[in-house]
Amino acid sequence: MLNLIEVRNLKKAFGTNIVLKDINETVEKGQVICVVGPSGSGKSTFLRCLNVLEEPTEGQVLFDGKDLIHLNEEELNGLRQRMGMVFQSFNLFPNMSVLDNVKLAPLRVKKVGEEKATEDAKKLLKQVGLEDKAEQYPESLSGGQMQRVAIARALAMDPEVMLFDEPTSALDPEMVGEVLKVMRDLADSGMTMVVVTHEMGFAKEVADQIWFMDDGYIQEKGKPQDFFTAPKTERARAFLSKMLQ
Amino acid sequence: MKVKSLWLFLCVFVFALFIPFQHVNAASDGNLQKVKDKGTLVVGTSADYPPYEFTVKEGGETKYVGLDMDIAKKFAADLGVKLVIKNMNFDSLLVALETHKVDMVISGMNPTLERQESVDFSKIYYRGKQFMLINKKDTARFKSIKSFKNQTIGAQTGSLQYTLVKQQMKNNEIKGLAKLNDLVIALQSGKVNAVAMEEATAKAFAKNNTGLKVINPQFKVDSSQTGSAIAFPKGDTSMVAAANSTINNIKKQNLINKEYIPNAGKYMAGNTNKNSMLNYWTYFAKGIEYTLLITVVSVFFGFVLGVFFALMRLSHNKFLHWLAVAYIEFVRGTPLMVQVMFVYFGIGTLIQSLPALIAGIIAVSLNSTAYVAEVIRSGIESIPTGQTEAARSLGLSQKLTYRYVIIPQALKNIWPALGNEFITLIKESSIVSIIGVTDLIYQMQLVQSATYKGVVPIFIAMVIYFIMTFSLSKVLGYFEGRMKHA
Ligand SMILES: Nc1ncnc2c1ncn2[C@@H]1O[C@H](COP(=O)(O)OP(=O)(O)O)[C@@H](O)[C@H]1O
Ligand SMILES: [Mg+2]
C-alpha cells in the first residue's frame, strides 16, 4: 500500500504550551482514519499540521513523499489543492452564492474555465443533495446544508485526501445524520480520509483505523472493533466510558 | 514607541534639509531676466481690500481690480510680460514670496521693519492715513484712540493696523482675523467695536454699508513704515530697481490719484449696484465644482492608497509595517491645514510650478489615505480567520485569498465608514481655500468682498454644503441597503 501521508517526530508548541509531543504515523491511500480523544488533546492542531495551516515546531510531514515543512509558498499552495479540508464551523464564504463557493478554487486556482467549473460544481452539489440551493447564499442555509456545501467545495479541487475537523460538532442533532451520510458515501467511494470526530458510531462503522489521541501523543491505535471493545490503555478506557455514558 | 519617535525625528530631519535650498535660491539675483524670459509676472495679492485690490464680476468672470492691480498691470506692461494674479490670504503672501510661488506681492502692504527683515521693498507708491471703521450709532462715543477705553478692536492679522493697535492701544483687547470682510461682520454684529484699517478701504466699506462710519483716531505713525510698497524676495535688486522706475513714472504723471483711484471707485459703485446673491450664482457653482472635484479625486486616491497602506500595515515584513504605521500615525497626528500648507509651500519649494489645486488635492488625498487605511485595516481584521483558512486550504494563494474572500467582505463591512470619510472630505476640503484653491469657501469669500455682504454668502455656502453632504449620505445609504441584500 502507498503511504500518502507520513508524519515523523511531529512536535508543535504554542509558546511554552507543548501541544503535540512526538507523533509518528502514516496514512495509506484509501484509508479512513478516525482521530478521537478528549477536547484540548491536540486533535485539531494535528490535523492542521497535515496541511500546514499550523506550522509544526519540529519534525516532518511527508505528503506523497514531499516534506511540506520546507516548501515555499507556491509549492505549498500546489500541495494544498490535493488535500481538502472541512471545518467544524463550515467557513463558507458569505459573500458568494453556494455555486460560487464551490467554483471559486477550480476557477481561480486551477483555471478550468467558467463553463466546466459550473458544470462540475453542479455535479458536486447534486452529490451532496443540494443542487436546488446553487443560487442561494450561505446565510439562508441550515447548518447541515452549509456543511454539505463545504464538503462539495473541498471536493471541487479533486483532492487525494480529505481532512475533517469535527464536521458535525456544531450541528443540531437532527442534522448530523445528513452530513455523516455524505461522508460515509465518500468513504465508500474510496476516498482517503482523516476525520477528527466525537461520533463514535460513525467511527466504529466507517473507520479502517482509530487513532486515540491524548496529552500530545497518539496513545493507542487499532481497528475499531478492537479499540471500542477492548481498549488497551487506561486513558482510552476512561475516555470511552465518558463518551458512552 | 521608540521606533515611532525615531520616525518622527527622521521626518523633521528631512524637512530641515529643505530649508537651506530656499536661501540659496533667494540670494541669487538675475530675477528680472528670469521674469522676462518666462514672459509672466506672477503677482500675489489678497483681493479683499478695496480700493487697493478687490474683485468684480464681469461677464461671468472674476476680475481683480483696484489701484494695486492697475500698478501691477503697468509694471508688467513696462517689463513687456503678461500679468498673472494669484489671490490668497494676506497671511500667506510673504510665505508665497519666499517660496517663489509669486514674483512679487502688491497688497496695500506697509514696509514695516519686521517685514524688511525677510523681504525687500520698492519705494512707497501711495500713502494713506490709518483710520477706524465704527458703527454709526457709536459716532458720539468714539472720537480718538483714548475714547476706545476697554473696547475690543479688530484688525487684519499680519497688518500694520494690527501692530498699531497693539502698540498704541494697550488697554484694548484686539481681535485679529485674516479677512477684512469677517472683521466687518464682527463689527456689525457687535463682536468688535471698531476695525482699524487703511483710509481708502475704510471709506469704501462705509460707503457701501449705511450703518458704518469712518473716523480718524489719530494713530502715531512712523512715516517710513506707512504707505504701501511692493514686496520682492530678499536680494532681488534688479526687480526692485525696475519697480522703482515704474513707480517714478506713475508718480510723475500722478496716475494713482488721477486714474487708478477713480477707476477703483467706479468698480466699487458698480459692485454695490448688483450685489444681490443671484448675480453671483456662477461663483458658487464654480466653488461647488471645485469642492466636488477635490473631494472625488481625493476619495479615489485616498481609497487606492489606503488599501495599499492597510496591506502594508498588515504585512509580515517589518519594514513595510513600520513605514505604514509611521505614515498613518504622523498624518493622523497633524492638522490637515498644516499638511495643505506643507505640500503647497514645502514641496512647492522643490517643484516651483506646482499649482495650488494639485497641491490641495495631493494634501487632501494623502490625508485621506491615512484614515482610509485604518478603516480598511479594521475591516480586514474583522473577518474571521476561518475564512482565510478555508481559502488557503483550497490552495488559494494569499493574494487570491485577499482578492476574492477577504477584501470583498471587508469592503461590505466598512462601506458605511468609507461613506463617512467621503462626507467628511467634502467638509474638510474647505481648508484648501487658504492656499487659494477656488473651492466653495474661497468663492464664498470672493462673493463677500465683491458684495460687501458678510453673512448671506456664509449662509448660502452652509446650505450648499449641507445639500451636498445630505444627498450624498442618502445615496450611500441606498447602496448600503442594496449591498446588504446582495
Ligand atoms: N493558535 C493557537 N495558539 C495558542 N494555543 C493554541 C492554538 N491552537 C490551539 N492551541 C492550544 O493547543 C491545545 C490543543 O488544542 P486543539 O488542537 O484545538 O485540541 P482539540 O482539537 O483536541 O480539542 C489547547 O490547549 C489549545 O489551547
Ligand atoms: Mg478541535
Side-chain angles (χ1 to χ4, degrees):
Chain A
M1 271 289 202
L2 178 69
N3 286 346
L4 196 55
I5 300 177
E6 234 183 298
V7 178
R8 293 186 189 151
N9 303 107
L10 177 64
K11 293 184 185 120
K12 174 68 190 177
F14 294 103
T16 54
N17 180 15
I18 305 172
V19 178
L20 303 179
K21 295 178 179 163
D22 184 19
I23 298 190
N24 295 278
E25 298 297 340
T26 51
V27 180
E28 291 167 11
K29 198 166 166 50
Q31 248 186 345
V32 176
I33 311 285
C34 282
V35 182
V36 302
S39 70
S41 59
K43 303 181 298 295
S44 294
T45 306
F46 169 68
L47 203 67
R48 292 153 59 83
C49 279
L50 296 185
N51 66 353
V52 206
L53 281 183
E54 216 64 82
E55 192 151 354
T57 313
E58 263 178 58
Q60 291 176 307
V61 177
L62 303 177
F63 176 71
D64 201 12
K66 280 184 218 61
D67 187 357
L68 296 186
I69 314 306
H70 300 293
L71 296 182
N72 63 30
E73 273 297 304
E74 213 167 306
E75 294 169 309
L76 190 57
N77 290 337
L79 284 174
R80 275 188 184 138
Q81 296 170 37
R82 298 165 59 190
M83 318 168 91
M85 190 164 203
V86 175
F87 302 84
Q88 182 176 343
S89 50
F90 328 131
N91 298 345
L92 291 183
F93 307 132
N95 56 319
M96 300 173 205
S97 69
V98 163
L99 188 69
D100 287 339
N101 263 274
V102 181
K103 275 165 62 181
L104 178 71
L107 206 56
R108 303 300 168 193
V109 182
K110 268 196 184 156
K111 307 211 159 70
V112 298
E114 181 68 35
E115 227 164 275
K116 174 147 171 47
T118 307
E119 194 183 314
D120 292 351
K122 284 191 169 156
K123 248 183 248 165
L124 284 166
L125 286 175
K126 190 164 183 203
Q127 184 182 328
V128 299
L130 290 171
E131 66 269 43
D132 55 330
K133 302 284 183 195
E135 300 308 328
Q136 304 215 359
Y137 278 78
E139 61 180 1
S140 66
L141 302 187
S142 72
Q145 291 169 330
M146 284 201 254
Q147 195 60 297
R148 284 187 279 154
V149 173
I151 293 172
R153 178 177 70 178
L155 290 173
M157 290 302 277
D158 205 6
E160 291 157 54
V161 57
M162 287 283 285
L163 311 175
F164 293 83
D165 190 1
E166 299 196 32
T168 57
S169 296
L171 299 179
D172 292 337
E174 72 269 21
M175 294 173 186
V176 171
E178 64 193 61
V179 173
L180 291 182
K181 177 180 180 306
V182 170
M183 292 171 64
R184 196 174 290 127
D185 292 346
L186 203 56
D188 290 345
S189 75
M191 174 65 76
T192 314
M193 292 164 61
V194 181
V195 185
V196 174
T197 184
H198 289 300
E199 293 296 329
M200 293 304 145
F202 174 83
K204 202 185 259 174
E205 184 191 337
V206 178
D208 296 308
Q209 260 197 2
I210 304 289
W211 293 356
F212 171 67
M213 190 160 191
D214 196 3
D215 192 28
Y217 295 100
I218 303 286
Q219 302 278 356
E220 172 171 351
K221 61 176 178 175
K223 291 209 177 320
Q225 60 268 36
D226 299 337
F227 176 76
F228 285 108
T229 50
K232 288 179 278 214
T233 57
E234 184 51 46
R235 283 172 188 269
R237 271 194 291 279
F239 170 72
L240 281 176
S241 72
K242 218 183 254 166
M243 286 307 291
L244 299 173
Q245 69 179 232
Chain B
M1 270 302 139
K2 265 214 163 119
V3 181
K4 258 186 224 169
S5 51
L6 181 70
W7 269 106
L8 194 70
F9 171 77
L10 272 179
C11 293
V12 173
F13 180 73
V14 170
F15 179 70
L17 279 180
F18 289 130
I19 293 165
F21 281 116
Q22 228 168 284
H23 283 288
V24 175
N25 260 343
S28 65
D29 198 10
N31 286 326
L32 176 58
Q33 197 53 46
K34 262 190 228 155
V35 167
K36 283 184 172 166
D37 288 346
K38 71 184 161 88
T40 54
L41 177 68
V42 183
V43 173
T45 193
S46 175
D48 63 341
Y49 202 58
Y52 287 85
E53 46 266 320
F54 55 105
T55 54
V56 292
K57 200 182 78 168
E58 252 184 20
E61 295 279 308
T62 300
K63 211 175 139 191
Y64 300 102
V65 295
L67 74 94
D68 280 352
M69 296 300 100
D70 283 332
I71 293 172
K73 230 180 276 170
K74 174 117 179 40
F75 184 35
D78 288 353
L79 296 179
V81 297
K82 219 179 131 233
L83 179 65
V84 176
I85 303 289
K86 280 205 174 170
N87 182 18
M88 53 186 93
N89 269 359
F90 192 78
D91 282 346
S92 307
L93 285 172
L94 291 189
V95 190
L97 195 60
E98 285 171 284
T99 55
H100 296 269
K101 292 273 160 213
V102 296
D103 298 317
M104 64 172 236
V105 164
I106 185 165
S107 201
M109 188 179 273
N110 309 117
T112 60
L113 289 175
E114 265 175 354
R115 288 188 186 131
Q116 286 177 31
E117 275 173 22
S118 51
V119 297
D120 282 352
F121 281 101
S122 70
K123 57 166 56 176
I124 287 167
Y125 56 82
Y126 184 75
R127 198 187 299 279
K129 295 201 186 72
Q130 304 305 324
F131 273 28
M132 202 82 101
L133 194 62
I134 60 171
N135 287 311
K136 211 167 236 171
K137 61 177 168 58
D138 291 331
T139 316
R141 289 166 65 200
F142 302 140
K143 295 260 191 282
S144 67
I145 293 183
K146 292 211 175 57
S147 62
F148 283 105
K149 208 161 184 189
N150 297 326
Q151 308 291 332
T152 305
I153 311 294
Q156 195 175 24
T157 41
S159 69
L160 169 73
Q161 294 78 27
Y162 190 91
T163 317
L164 287 177
V165 172
K166 212 165 174 189
Q167 286 170 348
Q168 297 179 30
M169 304 179 76
K170 290 218 163 67
N171 291 325
N172 292 90
E173 200 173 315
I174 179 164
K175 183 164 179 59
L177 293 175
K179 294 272 174 192
L180 272 185
N181 289 303
D182 295 338
L183 285 166
V184 174
I185 297 173
L187 175 64
Q188 288 169 323
S189 59
K191 297 268 178 301
V192 299
N193 306 97
V195 180
M197 61 177 86
E198 228 276 325
E199 175 181 0
T201 317
K203 285 180 171 162
F205 274 108
K207 198 172 156 198
N208 285 288
N209 290 278
T210 47
L212 299 179
K213 191 177 182 311
V214 170
I215 59 162
N216 182 351
Q218 312 288 347
F219 282 115
K220 283 190 269 322
V221 279
D222 171 358
S223 64
S224 75
Q225 288 187 44
T226 61
S228 306
I230 307 175
F232 292 95
K234 200 105 190 123
D236 200 354
T237 44
S238 55
M239 285 290 279
V240 172
N244 283 342
S245 119
T246 295
I247 291 171
N248 284 339
N249 266 328
I250 290 173
K251 280 190 167 164
K252 219 179 286 164
Q253 303 172 52
N254 198 16
L255 283 177
I256 294 186
N257 289 317
K258 263 179 30 200
E259 273 184 33
Y260 298 170
I261 291 185
N263 214 1
K266 243 186 296 167
Y267 278 122
M268 287 162 70
N271 265 357
T272 23
N273 286 342
K274 48 172 184 186
N275 61 4
S276 125
M277 286 301 131
L278 262 182
N279 286 319
Y280 291 89
W281 72 269
T282 49
Y283 279 58
F284 289 109
K286 187 177 176 196
I288 293 170
E289 184 191 331
Y290 273 76
T291 289
L292 287 179
L293 175 74
I294 295 164
T295 308
V296 168
V297 175
S298 300
V299 161
F300 174 77
F301 283 112
F303 178 71
V304 173
L305 292 173
V307 172
F308 196 69
F309 271 89
L311 294 179
M312 262 169 79
R313 186 164 188 173
L314 290 168
S315 153
H316 294 299
N317 181 319
K318 282 249 154 57
F319 176 73
L320 291 181
H321 172 77
W322 281 112
L323 197 64
V325 169
Y327 178 83
I328 290 165
E329 296 298 329
F330 190 79
V331 169
R332 297 204 313 166
T334 51
L336 176 57
M337 181 172 176
V338 179
Q339 293 161 6
V340 168
M341 296 202 294
F342 179 75
V343 170
Y344 186 54
F345 295 119
I347 301 189
T349 314
L350 302 177
I351 310 166
Q352 292 288 333
S353 57
L354 188 71
L357 175 64
I358 305 293
I361 288 177
I362 292 177
V364 176
S365 300
L366 291 179
N367 179 274
S368 182
T369 295
Y371 288 91
V372 171
E374 281 303 89
V375 168
I376 291 177
R377 180 179 68 108
S378 73
I380 288 175
E381 283 178 343
S382 73
I383 306 301
T385 51
Q387 292 289 308
T388 309
E389 292 180 350
R392 299 309 299 271
S393 77
L394 287 166
L396 270 75
S397 65
Q398 176 157 22
K399 211 169 122 193
L400 289 175
T401 303
Y402 264 98
R403 176 153 169 213
Y404 291 105
V405 177
I406 306 298
I407 301 271
Q409 291 185 54
L411 284 186
K412 204 164 161 177
N413 289 350
I414 64 179
W415 178 258
L418 283 181
N420 254 345
E421 174 66 13
F422 200 156
I423 289 166
T424 303
L425 275 194
I426 288 187
K427 295 182 288 177
E428 303 270 286
S429 66
S430 60
I431 208 79
V432 299
S433 61
I434 58 166
I435 56 168
V437 179
T438 55
D439 79 328
L440 189 51
I441 290 292
Y442 182 94
Q443 296 294 99
M444 173 197 88
Q445 289 168 347
L446 281 187
V447 175
Q448 283 182 313
S449 47
T451 59
Y452 308 98
K453 286 197 174 142
V455 182
V456 180
I458 295 179
F459 180 71
I460 292 176
M462 198 160 78
V463 169
I464 293 175
Y465 272 117
F466 177 72
I467 291 173
M468 288 197 289
T469 55
F470 187 71
S471 30
L472 181 62
S473 77
K474 284 284 159 224
V475 171
L476 291 170
Y478 172 75
F479 281 114
E480 197 184 324
R482 284 190 46 158
M483 277 176 84
K484 276 219 183 89
H485 298 297

